[in-house]
Amino acid sequence: MITQQVTAIALRIFSIWLLIQLILNLPSFVLLFTSVAQYQQHEIPMGAYAGLIGAIILAGLIAVFLINKAANSVLSRAKSNFEATLSSDSQKVLFQLAGLYFVVNALAYLPRSLSFIPNTVEIASSSILWPAGLVFQLAIGLWLVSASTFWHNLFNKLRGRV
């Protein structure tokens, strides 16, 4: 895999992540606008809500579209010679960087996800799912960091290069 292909894949993954974050944060924007209306002590017209939410969605979708266009542009300029491929060590470093991202992300949110423990005696299954997901993400991240050779060999097998 040449560096331009890795860049295009990274750009596409980033655009997918951006789209997911846009969808996940829409309720936060609605609550933000509601709190602004309460702060000003008068109601904001429904058209303004719809316009602001629409503008946020439009800006996010335009950003996703432009990032995908950049990925296509990078791929169109990519050379197809196999001498410029990433070395095995470079691919392992990429797996380790991805694992490091997962580890840092999980460690950042894990303490916050356990905040329900001092407040309740009963633990609901819905409140345990988020910490369980973060522990799973932490385990995968640690596995990516510590066993990058395994992941490199697995992806080579999946691509039919072994």
Side-chain angles (χ1 to χ4, degrees):
M1 194 179 309
I2 60 176
T3 56
Q4 286 91 353
Q5 291 170 335
V6 171
T7 303
I9 291 170
L11 285 172
R12 289 216 171 117
I13 289 173
F14 178 68
S15 70
I16 291 169
W17 176 84
L18 182 64
L19 184 63
I20 290 170
Q21 291 301 316
L22 176 72
I23 293 168
L24 288 177
N25 288 316
L26 277 179
S28 300
F29 292 131
V30 172
L31 289 175
L32 174 71
F33 297 140
T34 304
S35 66
V36 166
Q38 289 175 351
Y39 177 73
Q40 292 180 347
Q41 296 180 351
H42 64 84
E43 229 177 277
I44 296 177
M46 190 53 103
Y49 275 124
L52 289 171
I53 298 297
I56 290 170
I57 291 172
L58 183 65
L61 291 177
I62 288 172
V64 167
F65 176 75
L66 291 175
I67 292 170
N68 273 325
K69 281 295 213 184
N72 289 339
S73 174
V74 167
L75 278 179
S76 68
R77 285 189 249 137
K79 299 175 184 172
S80 62
N81 63 354
F82 291 102
E83 294 174 1
T85 60
L86 284 176
S87 69
S88 174
D89 291 335
S90 298
Q91 291 178 26
K92 290 177 187 175
V93 167
L94 287 174
F95 283 121
Q96 288 175 339
L97 284 174
L100 190 61
Y101 168 77
F102 288 140
V103 167
V104 169
N105 191 30
L107 289 177
Y109 290 111
L110 196 57
R112 190 179 334 171
S113 72
L114 297 174
S115 64
F116 69 91
I117 291 175
N119 297 336
T120 61
V121 176
E122 294 180 18
I123 297 177
S125 62
S126 62
S127 61
I128 201 73
L129 288 178
W130 189 31
L134 289 172
V135 168
F136 179 72
Q137 179 180 342
L138 179 66
I140 293 296
L142 289 172
W143 193 14
L144 278 168
V145 170
S146 64
S148 60
T149 304
F150 167 79
W151 291 100
H152 173 69
N153 293 337
L154 176 69
F155 277 88
N156 278 340
K157 282 181 185 177
L158 290 175
R159 290 186 293 180
R161 294 199 176 175
V162 174

